[in-house]
Amino acid sequence: MRVVSWNIHWGCGKDGRIRIHAIIDVLRKLNPDVICLQEVAANHPELEGSATASQFKQLGGALGGYHMIEHAPSEIYRNNLPRQFGNILLSKYRITQAQRHMLPWPAAPEHPSGMPRGMIETVLEAPGGKLRVLTTHLEYYSPPQRRAQIGRIRELHAEACARAAIYQPEPELDPPFQLGFRPGSAIYCGDFNFTPDSDDYRALLAPPEDGALRLLDAWQLRHGDMARAPTAGLHGYPWPDRAACYDYFFVTEDLAPRVAEVNVQSETSASDHQPIVLDLA
């Protein structure tokens, strides 16, 4: 099973031009089973390069062998036309459940503006059984908002593990109640906007106190203390100040023996972030 996560920067390359086809070409070469993308835009002409098209439709149409779940936590209306910005998850595997979680967005006086953030959660019929795959893009500018979002992710993870432990099918209930099994086993991925030496990183991976499956950093599982490949700051982009890791795969502890490879595809300059790839045996 191969999963790719990538903040595509609405397809805007280092020359300031939008080339969604370049994003699609990279994804096709990687040939993942599951694709998780952040910073997908629709009807945003003011973004660099003028993202006027619906990239949700472009990506979904070009990657026709996948089932797509989209979520635009930022949705602004101008003349009744939605300007959207958010995430998508595409899967070759059958999707049995999908939830679109809005993450906390508390008022932060030091950063009074900003945008709402969200997380897509899916349950997939993956090799080895049902598995949750979740993707998100956390706050960059406001540390208090980002910490609140990390806390909510941990709450949602604990909820899923607790519900999995007591699950019993109830076929006598109406169809909307029959969601089926939602496992604790999960892969969390995306642009978390923190570095591996940060308090936020440690907060997300702190041992749970509620019996939930512990989350582990897939890079460390595969590479140990090896220097981490940067996921942003390559190819001459003005941000960040230095190359660093902001994008991750976190897996539940029961999946740790299956982590076969984790790597960063550093060659492409189609976005200011690099695609990251997880292979599970």
Side-chain angles (χ1 to χ4, degrees), residues 22 24 27 40 45 60 102 117 131 168 193 225 230 240 249 260 265 277:
I24 293 166
L27 293 172
V40 182
M102 293 299 296
R117 306 282 177 160
L131 175 70
Q168 294 289 335
N193 272 322
D225 295 330
F249 283 107
Q265 299 296 309
V277 183

Side-chain angles (χ1 to χ4, degrees), residues 110-151:
E110 76 282 11
H111 293 292
S113 59
M115 66 175 172
R117 306 282 177 160
M119 180 170 65
I120 296 174
E121 174 179 351
T122 58
V123 178
L124 307 182
E125 293 280 9
K130 287 190 176 183
L131 175 70
R132 286 186 301 128
V133 178
L134 305 94
T135 188
T136 191
H137 181 195
L138 300 189
E139 168 63 25
Y140 174 71
Y141 293 103
S142 171
Q145 289 178 352
R146 186 170 57 251
R147 182 59 65 90
Q149 291 159 8
I150 290 167

Side-chain angles (χ1 to χ4, degrees), residues 13-262:
K14 65 179 180 179
D15 61 358
R17 297 178 62 188
I18 294 177
R19 295 185 178 90
I20 287 295
H21 68 272
I23 301 292
I24 293 166
D25 287 347
V26 171
L27 293 172
R28 284 176 172 163
K29 289 176 183 176
L30 291 173
N31 191 28
D33 302 296
V34 182
I35 300 170
C36 298
L37 303 178
Q38 305 87 45
E39 290 200 10
V40 182
N43 304 319
H44 269 293
E46 74 286 353
L47 285 174
E48 183 181 6
S50 189
T52 54
S54 172
Q55 297 174 357
F56 297 91
K57 292 181 179 178
Q58 288 179 316
L59 290 160
L63 300 166
Y66 295 82
H67 311 286
M68 186 174 80
I69 305 295
E70 61 183 86
H71 185 207
S74 174
E75 186 163 346
I76 307 164
Y77 281 77
R78 303 281 170 83
N79 298 321
N80 289 324
L81 181 69
R83 299 188 178 189
Q84 298 171 311
F85 196 75
N87 313 315
I88 62 175
L89 185 150
L90 303 106
S91 173
K92 289 182 179 179
Y93 303 130
R94 180 170 173 257
I95 300 172
T96 63
Q97 292 184 44
Q99 296 185 49
R100 297 165 177 85
H101 302 288
M102 293 299 296
L103 297 178
W105 192 32
E110 76 282 11
H111 293 292
S113 59
M115 66 175 172
R117 306 282 177 160
M119 180 170 65
I120 296 174
E121 174 179 351
T122 58
V123 178
L124 307 182
E125 293 280 9
K130 287 190 176 183
L131 175 70
R132 286 186 301 128
V133 178
L134 305 94
T135 188
T136 191
H137 181 195
L138 300 189
E139 168 63 25
Y140 174 71
Y141 293 103
S142 171
Q145 289 178 352
R146 186 170 57 251
R147 182 59 65 90
Q149 291 159 8
I150 290 167
R152 181 58 178 152
I153 290 172
R154 286 176 59 89
E155 289 174 358
L156 289 167
H157 178 61
E159 174 192 286
C161 291
R163 293 191 65 84
I166 64 169
Y167 172 74
Q168 294 289 335
E170 299 181 79
E172 72 280 3
L173 294 179
D174 291 331
F177 292 94
Q178 297 182 41
L179 295 179
F181 182 57
R182 178 189 176 205
S185 301
I187 299 169
Y188 288 78
C189 67
D191 177 1
F192 288 81
N193 272 322
F194 54 58
T195 55
D197 58 352
S198 68
D199 290 340
D200 290 338
Y201 173 91
R202 289 185 284 271
L204 181 64
L205 298 186
E209 299 177 355
D210 41 30
L213 291 167
R214 185 170 185 177
L215 293 175
L216 303 173
D217 184 340
W219 176 275
Q220 283 193 334
L221 290 171
R222 180 63 183 85
H223 300 290
D225 295 330
M226 179 187 299
R228 196 177 288 263
T231 67
L234 304 179
H235 305 293
Y237 279 94
W239 174 92
D241 294 336
R242 60 182 180 84
C245 177
Y246 294 89
D247 306 82
Y248 302 85
F249 283 107
F250 300 115
V251 301
T252 48
E253 56 189 306
D254 58 322
L255 297 180
R258 294 181 56 191
V259 175
E261 186 56 271
V262 183

